[in-house]
Amino acid sequence: MALVNVVNMMVLDNPTAFLNPFQFEITFECLQELEEDLEWKVVYVGSAESSEHDQVLDEILVGINKLVLQAEPPDPRRIPPNDIIGVTVVLVTCAYREREFVRIGYYVNNEYSGEYDEETGPPKPIELGKVTRMILADKPRVTRFPIPWNGQENVDASNGQVETEDAHVMNDQGAKSDEQLMEEDPLIEEEEEEEEEEDGDENMEVE
């Protein structure tokens, strides 16, 4: 049984400019006192083609149950030029004793707000000051992993289950999903790297 449950997550300052920081307000509950702090991490998926373009934007150790996790924007020099505009993914993960136990993924849509010829696309190199980032806050995907907690040396992989779910959403920002943006599913691709996964029934309130 997991000793930490994420009960609410809000995406702040959304939509915003591509070069602005990511901000997530996270609330979680601990069912038992933990011997060590939790490690929160924000990861930006630079390209669906290869994980070598993933960037860890921030990672912090915390011992409180509510925080605003702020991370700097990704380094555009590490993103393939053709992948700066369009749909990608940002992941918020949490680990205990260097073992990840929950991963929350959001689709991110980067749009060029300047004028351009639709036939040729935005000018290259991209003027990053004219790129707007929209996190699809009403479409998070939550994956939980069994890990050893206090007093446990290991987890029996045959009994542990990786649970993946589309979280129930309380969205006050008026953000709407665009199903056409979901034709390719990088969140699914990220999760298929794990050995096991199955749908979960529990809901997390996410804003």
Side-chain angles (χ1 to χ4, degrees), residues 138-152:
D138 62 345
K139 289 291 182 182
R141 191 168 179 85
V142 181
T143 304
R144 297 180 177 86
F145 308 95
I147 68 167
W149 295 90
N150 295 340
Q152 291 181 298

Side-chain angles (χ1 to χ4, degrees), residues 107-142:
Y107 291 101
V108 180
N109 185 29
N110 296 314
E111 292 186 343
Y112 187 76
S113 58
E115 296 183 0
Y116 63 92
D117 188 334
E118 294 185 0
E119 293 185 359
T120 59
K124 294 183 179 181
I126 295 292
E127 297 181 62
L128 295 176
K130 295 183 178 180
V131 177
T132 300
R133 181 182 71 225
M134 163 69 85
I135 298 177
L136 303 185
D138 62 345
K139 289 291 182 182
R141 191 168 179 85
V142 181

Side-chain angles (χ1 to χ4, degrees), residues 22 29 33 37 47 52 68 100 108 116 122 128 132 181 205:
F22 287 87
E29 61 180 2
E33 184 176 355
D37 290 341
S47 174
E52 69 181 40
V68 174
E100 180 182 341
V108 180
Y116 63 92
L128 295 176
T132 300
L181 299 178
E205 184 180 355

Side-chain angles (χ1 to χ4, degrees), residues 37-180:
D37 290 341
L38 300 174
E39 180 184 27
W40 291 91
K41 186 182 299 184
V42 179
V43 180
Y44 186 87
V45 178
S47 174
E49 300 298 324
S50 173
S51 61
E52 69 181 40
H53 300 292
D54 291 1
Q55 298 183 45
V56 177
L57 305 183
D58 195 14
E59 50 186 329
I60 60 172
L61 292 172
V62 297
I64 57 177
N65 62 0
K66 186 172 184 178
L67 71 150
V68 174
L69 181 57
Q70 179 169 304
E72 291 302 308
D75 183 350
R77 296 171 297 180
R78 297 177 56 189
I79 302 174
N82 291 335
D83 290 325
I84 292 179
I85 301 298
V87 178
T88 185
V89 168
V90 65
L91 303 171
V92 179
T93 71
C94 193
Y96 182 64
R97 291 177 171 170
E98 300 183 348
R99 297 287 299 272
E100 180 182 341
F101 64 88
V102 66
R103 176 188 305 168
I104 302 164
Y106 289 94
Y107 291 101
V108 180
N109 185 29
N110 296 314
E111 292 186 343
Y112 187 76
S113 58
E115 296 183 0
Y116 63 92
D117 188 334
E118 294 185 0
E119 293 185 359
T120 59
K124 294 183 179 181
I126 295 292
E127 297 181 62
L128 295 176
K130 295 183 178 180
V131 177
T132 300
R133 181 182 71 225
M134 163 69 85
I135 298 177
L136 303 185
D138 62 345
K139 289 291 182 182
R141 191 168 179 85
V142 181
T143 304
R144 297 180 177 86
F145 308 95
I147 68 167
W149 295 90
N150 295 340
Q152 291 181 298
E153 294 183 358
N154 54 58
V155 171
D156 186 349
S158 63
N159 293 329
Q161 295 180 337
V162 177
E163 297 183 356
T164 302
E165 67 188 52
D166 295 313
H168 175 66
V169 176
M170 299 293 291
N171 183 15
D172 293 332
Q173 302 179 33
K176 296 182 180 180
S177 62
D178 185 345
E179 296 299 330
Q180 294 179 347

Side-chain angles (χ1 to χ4, degrees), residues 7-27:
V7 296
N8 188 45
M9 180 176 291
M10 294 178 60
V11 179
L12 307 179
D13 191 24
N14 184 51
T16 189
F18 179 84
L19 296 176
N20 284 351
F22 287 87
Q23 296 184 67
F24 303 93
E25 183 179 280
I26 305 167
T27 304

